[in-house]
Amino acid sequence: MASTTPTHIEPAPPVSRSARSTGRAGDKIFAGLSKGSGVLLLVIMASIAVFLTYRASIALSKNEGNFLTTLDWNASANPPVFGIAVLLFGTVVSSVIAMAIAVPIAVGIALFISHYAPRKLAAPLAYVVDLLAAVPSIIYGIWGALFLVPQLNGLNLWLDEYLGWTYVFDKTQVGVARSLFTVGILLAIMILPIVTSVSREVFLQVPRMNEEAALALGATRWEVIRMSVLPFGRSGVISASMLGLGRALGETMAVATVLSPSFLISLHVLNPGGGTFAQNIAAKFDEANEFGRDALIASGLVLFLLTLLVNGAARLIIARRKDFSGANA
């Protein structure tokens, strides 16, 4: 019996990008426009960073307080005293609350639209979700101030009564629900369409063969989603979450409309008060003098760096997980 020897196939050598070009004028123009767009983006980002750093350095050189720990914002005083401790705390806490609420719900909605809902229902539901992403933030802010805040008073009392032992939900101040918790809920509603839309598109890209193979092995619908859909879409869900987090960190008008600002740090998230970077800039920019605006720009620089840090961390997570997600199979 003749033995068969496995044939070793040499992998094709990588083709350089220049070799892929056909040399036609259209290819050269398109390549030039693409390269120019990338360079322009870097120039814009660098110019924003330089502008923020320069104006922030002017304010920080005259600040008599500790920029990171001072619980006050009085840039117009003589000497000026201001710090970002309250703003950083409020921005992070409200964004964490928003992400904790929005991401699980958004993933559930995306799975329902992509894998459970009948086609006649999935299409209009996806359209409504996309439509919500286009609603201006001021509309959310007005709705939050006039409808959401009064409706949350009962929820706040319930959380205080049954979960007040956790300290976080212990409401120690009397007042309407203009708190970081309310801001977090409003931000969750605002980022929900973004996370849902991107996650839905990722789940729809799962290879049909993977799902059919799991079903052929006797897996239930939930097991198919757990073993095939979610691992494949994990990187996309992380990217969608980071997009939502970026909006939550920088949201301005809706937060300024709902929140009752104060420069106090409290872990009692149901108490009225607090502040965020974007809300503080929007509230104080018009009345600030030249130095006060530099101080606000310094806080904007921190928000800029925080956003870059979050996006960089997301890219790192995606890069480390993509080899195990099955997306590249």
Side-chain angles (χ1 to χ4, degrees), residues 189-203:
I189 296 172
M190 295 179 67
I191 67 176
L192 189 65
I194 299 174
V195 182
T196 301
S197 298
V198 178
S199 299
R200 181 195 69 218
E201 294 302 321
V202 172
F203 292 150

Side-chain angles (χ1 to χ4, degrees), residues 56-67 70-83 288-296 298:
S57 64
I58 297 175
L60 295 178
S61 63
K62 300 177 182 178
N63 183 20
E64 293 295 325
N66 189 308
F67 185 62
T70 298
L71 304 180
D72 193 11
W73 191 275
N74 198 354
S76 300
N78 189 15
V81 177
F82 57 90
N289 55 23
E290 188 69 18
F291 181 81
R293 292 180 179 177
D294 288 342
L296 293 174

Side-chain angles (χ1 to χ4, degrees), residues 34 98 132 191 262:
S34 300
L132 286 175
I191 67 176
S262 67

Side-chain angles (χ1 to χ4, degrees), residues 36-180:
S37 299
V39 173
L40 179 62
L41 177 63
L42 294 177
V43 170
I44 291 174
M45 291 292 292
S47 63
I48 292 175
V50 170
F51 169 77
L52 292 177
T53 304
Y54 172 70
R55 297 291 294 267
S57 64
I58 297 175
L60 295 178
S61 63
K62 300 177 182 178
N63 183 20
E64 293 295 325
N66 189 308
F67 185 62
L68 297 178
T69 60
T70 298
L71 304 180
D72 193 11
W73 191 275
N74 198 354
S76 300
N78 189 15
V81 177
F82 57 90
I84 61 167
V86 174
L87 307 179
L88 180 61
F89 177 81
T91 301
V92 172
V93 169
S94 60
S95 299
V96 168
I97 294 173
M99 295 294 291
I101 297 174
V103 173
I105 297 176
V107 171
I109 296 174
L111 287 173
F112 175 74
I113 294 176
S114 60
H115 286 80
Y116 283 96
R119 184 169 298 179
K120 291 183 179 179
L121 177 61
L125 192 57
Y127 174 75
V128 171
V129 171
D130 293 341
L131 194 63
L132 286 175
V135 175
S137 60
I138 187 61
I139 302 300
Y140 281 109
I142 295 174
W143 175 79
L146 299 180
F147 178 80
L148 184 62
V149 169
Q151 299 302 319
L152 287 180
N153 286 328
L155 176 62
N156 286 359
L157 293 176
W158 186 88
L159 291 172
D160 179 39
E161 181 177 356
Y162 292 100
L163 297 178
W165 56 270
T166 61
Y167 188 83
V168 175
F169 293 113
D170 182 17
K171 187 174 182 179
T172 59
Q173 296 181 13
V174 178
V176 295
R178 293 183 175 275
S179 60
L180 291 177

